[in-house]
């Protein structure tokens, strides 16, 4: 099973997000485009791709009103569809693979689209909410462009995007890899979870505990667990902090053992570095009116001397030299939460504190962190050296 190589961006991968409720009148067609990669393709080409996708969606809804098309196989290309939100569609167009497992790759590409949207919602909320907040769509585009480009950088190898197979997705994406522990270890973990919950006093908190890239414990819903676990593996675990390499193991190990689609990122104009590393932090128009956070940037998280992970992605706290504590949105409760990550050796503890429960902002978060250090610091040291509870862990610490 070799690689499926593609020569140019116009023949290679195209990724777009559009809103069927927008741009329905003549002269307003561009309004429906919320994201398009490559961004420097002519608008006529972008509208052609989106127009074809819209037509396919409309046609298939005649026969399946509740579930429109998921994939359309043309002679040379596959069109992969995902309705991220009502009437907001994500479409990926890739050159058709000649591999025997092509259908499995299509499923993998749908998982990529789902992951992009789930991670985006965790940090920015729903796309529809952003459009309602600012109907022109500029705010939405300003968030989508840097976010997705930062995400795609994980697939970048030289001048190629190497997309995963379904096998890779099953092992590493939209699933959670658990650390299997015995009864004694499980009791210790539950004790640690209760210690974490006490850090914020009477405020109900949620937590996620990882050992290396494996999940040990979670108090979140399944969907929120998947999203936060995915982000932790992408940017927070010791491996992610130390290597700066792609979170996909098939890219770290090379693609000889994986069924990978290789897609050129070369655009009709501009270079790879301009597309992925350029100064455009908002939208293709270069509009800097909005304060945009880019949580998927590489090499932006650091471990402090106190064991807490910090980043300046969310900016600096007004009136101090401290960085602003990251926040995420939970899908189940639709609640905004502070994200506090503490790391001891191979253990990563993530504590989520309701944003509304901290009345004095960063000062209140600092108090919770200090409480966590007092309650958890010595405990993590203890369980990390407890052979009877964590015999597997002690092979690595």
């Amino acid at each position: 099973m070799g690689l499926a190589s593609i020569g140019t961006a116009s023949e290679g991968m195209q990724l777009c997000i559009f809103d069927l409720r927008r741009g329905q009148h003549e002269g307003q067609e561009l309004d429906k485009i919320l994201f398009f990669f490559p961004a420097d393709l002519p608008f006529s080409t972008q509208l052609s791709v989106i127009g074809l996708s819209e037509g396919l969606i409309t046609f298939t809804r005649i026969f399946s009103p509740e579930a429109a098309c998921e994939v359309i196989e043309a002679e040379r290309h596959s069109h992969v569809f995902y309705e991220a939100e009502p009437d907001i569609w994500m479409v990926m167009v890739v050159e058709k693979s000649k591999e025997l497992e092509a259908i499995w790759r299509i499923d993998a590409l749908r998982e990529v689209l789902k992951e992009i949207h789930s991670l985006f919602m965790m940090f920015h909320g729903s796309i529809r909410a952003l459009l309602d907040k600012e109907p022109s769509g500029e705010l939405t585009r300003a968030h989508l462009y840097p976010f997705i480009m930062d995400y795609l950088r994980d697939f970048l190898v030289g001048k190629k995007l190497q997309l995963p197979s379904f096998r890779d997705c099953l092992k590493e994406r939209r699933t959670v890899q658990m650390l299997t522990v015995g009864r004694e270890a499980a009791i210790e973990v539950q004790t640690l979870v209760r210690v974490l919950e006490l850090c914020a006093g009477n405020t109900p908190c949620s937590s996620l505990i990882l050992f290396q890239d494996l999940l040990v414990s979670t108090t979140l819903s399944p969907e929120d667990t998947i999203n936060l676990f995915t982000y932790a593996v992408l940017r927070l675990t010791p491996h992610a902090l130390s290597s700066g390499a792609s979170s996909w193991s098939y890219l770290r190990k090379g693609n000889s053992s994986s069924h990978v689609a290789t897609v050129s990122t070369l655009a009709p104009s501009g270079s790879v570095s301009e597309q992925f590393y350029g100064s455009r932090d908002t939208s293709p128009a270069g509009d800097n009116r909005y304060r945009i956070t880019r949580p998927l940037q590489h090499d932006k998280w650091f471990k402090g001397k106190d064991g807490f992970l910090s980043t300046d992605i969310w900016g600096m706290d007004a009136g101090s030299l401290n960085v602003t504590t990251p926040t995420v949105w939970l899908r189940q409760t639709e609640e905004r939460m502070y994200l506090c990550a503490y790391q001891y050796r191979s253990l990563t503890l993530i504590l989520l504190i309701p944003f509304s429960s901290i009345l004095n902002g960063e000062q209140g978060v600092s108090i919770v962190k200090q409480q966590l250090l007092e309650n958890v610091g010595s405990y993590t040291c203890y369980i990390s050296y407890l052979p009877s509870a964590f015999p597997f862990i002690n092979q690595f610490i």
Side-chain angles (χ1 to χ4, degrees):
M1 298 291 182
L3 300 180
S5 299
I6 297 173
T8 64
S10 60
E11 298 173 344
M13 188 192 79
Q14 296 168 342
L15 174 60
C16 59
I17 302 177
F18 56 93
D19 182 4
L20 291 179
R21 301 178 189 177
R22 302 171 62 87
Q24 296 301 313
H25 301 289
E26 186 176 355
Q28 299 178 354
E29 292 84 359
L30 290 177
D31 289 346
K32 70 178 62 178
I33 304 176
L34 303 179
F35 173 86
F36 200 100
F37 172 82
D40 50 2
L41 283 180
F43 284 129
S44 59
T45 302
Q46 297 184 29
L47 288 174
S48 176
V49 172
I50 291 176
L52 174 61
S53 300
E54 188 174 0
L56 292 171
I57 292 168
T58 302
F59 177 74
T60 54
R61 273 182 169 169
I62 296 174
F63 306 97
S64 180
E66 301 301 324
C69 59
E70 295 185 354
V71 59
I72 297 293
E73 299 285 3
E75 182 179 357
R76 295 179 56 193
H77 295 88
S78 298
H79 300 248
V80 185
F81 295 79
Y82 174 57
E83 188 174 14
E85 300 173 29
D87 291 327
I88 294 178
W89 285 82
M90 304 176 70
V91 178
M92 185 184 292
V93 183
V94 294
E95 185 181 50
K96 182 173 289 188
S97 173
K98 297 179 181 179
E99 300 171 0
L100 295 177
E101 294 191 4
I103 187 172
W104 298 99
R105 186 166 66 90
I106 294 303
D107 288 339
L109 298 183
R110 277 181 56 81
E111 291 301 313
V112 168
L113 296 179
K114 291 178 182 179
E115 182 171 279
I116 291 174
H117 180 253
S118 294
L119 290 175
F120 183 86
M121 282 195 64
M122 184 171 72
F123 292 108
H124 300 299
S126 72
I127 295 175
R128 182 64 65 196
L130 288 174
L131 290 172
D132 291 341
K133 182 178 181 180
E134 208 238 30
S136 74
E138 290 304 315
L139 176 64
T140 305
R141 297 183 186 98
H143 280 86
L144 283 171
Y145 271 88
F147 185 89
I148 298 178
M149 296 307 287
D150 287 337
Y151 178 88
L152 291 177
R153 278 186 57 189
D154 272 18
F155 301 97
L156 189 65
V157 179
K159 296 182 179 181
K160 300 287 185 178
L161 285 176
Q162 295 191 355
L163 301 176
S165 70
F166 188 63
R167 183 178 305 168
D168 297 313
C169 285
L170 280 177
K171 292 189 296 183
E172 304 183 41
R173 284 301 199 268
R174 307 303 300 157
T175 57
V176 173
Q177 299 183 69
M178 295 286 298
L179 174 67
T180 302
V181 297
R183 179 177 179 275
E184 292 183 27
I187 293 173
E188 292 297 330
V189 169
Q190 289 304 312
T191 302
L192 179 57
V193 170
R194 288 194 291 269
V195 170
L196 287 173
E197 292 174 347
L198 292 174
C199 292
N202 296 324
T203 301
C205 299
S206 300
S207 64
L208 201 75
I209 303 176
L210 296 92
F211 168 72
Q212 294 184 346
D213 289 352
L214 301 173
L215 181 67
V216 177
S217 171
T218 178
T219 61
L220 295 167
S221 69
E223 187 170 15
D224 288 319
T225 294
I226 290 175
N227 293 337
L228 197 58
F229 175 83
T230 298
Y231 185 68
V233 172
L234 282 171
R235 299 293 183 263
L236 303 181
T237 61
H239 178 269
L241 292 178
S242 62
S243 69
S246 172
S247 61
W248 289 90
S249 64
Y250 75 88
L251 294 180
R252 296 196 303 268
K253 299 174 183 176
N255 49 46
S256 58
S257 62
S258 183
H259 308 293
V260 183
T262 304
V263 182
S264 173
T265 61
L266 295 178
S269 62
S271 67
V272 173
S273 60
E274 287 173 345
Q275 289 189 61
F276 284 90
Y277 306 96
S279 60
R280 295 186 304 188
D281 289 347
T282 55
S283 68
D287 192 340
N288 294 311
R289 291 176 296 167
Y290 309 105
R291 181 179 177 275
I292 304 300
T293 57
R294 295 173 57 186
L296 294 183
Q297 288 185 93
H298 281 267
D299 303 321
K300 283 292 187 176
W301 282 90
F302 306 94
K303 182 179 177 180
K305 294 181 179 180
D306 59 0
F308 281 102
L309 306 185
S310 62
T311 178
D312 62 358
I313 291 175
W314 278 258
M316 306 296 291
D317 181 34
S320 74
L321 298 178
N322 298 323
V323 295
T324 300
T325 303
T327 57
V328 297
W329 291 91
L330 296 183
R331 290 289 292 272
Q332 184 180 49
T333 62
E334 298 184 349
E335 189 174 14
R336 188 181 181 190
M337 310 286 280
Y338 282 112
L339 187 157
C340 298
Y342 175 81
Q343 206 164 84
Y344 178 80
R345 299 198 175 194
S346 296
L347 289 175
T348 301
L349 314 179
I350 299 176
L351 183 66
L352 299 178
I353 312 163
F355 186 86
S356 58
S357 68
I358 306 296
L359 301 180
N360 49 353
E362 293 301 320
Q363 183 179 354
V365 174
S366 297
I367 295 174
V368 174
K369 286 183 175 181
Q370 184 59 39
Q371 189 67 40
L372 188 148
L373 283 177
E374 294 175 1
N375 292 355
V376 176
S378 60
Y379 191 83
T380 54
C381 179
Y382 167 68
I383 66 171
S384 293
Y385 285 103
L386 190 62
S388 62
F390 285 82
F392 176 72
I393 287 181
N394 280 279
Q395 300 177 34
F396 301 93
I397 62 174

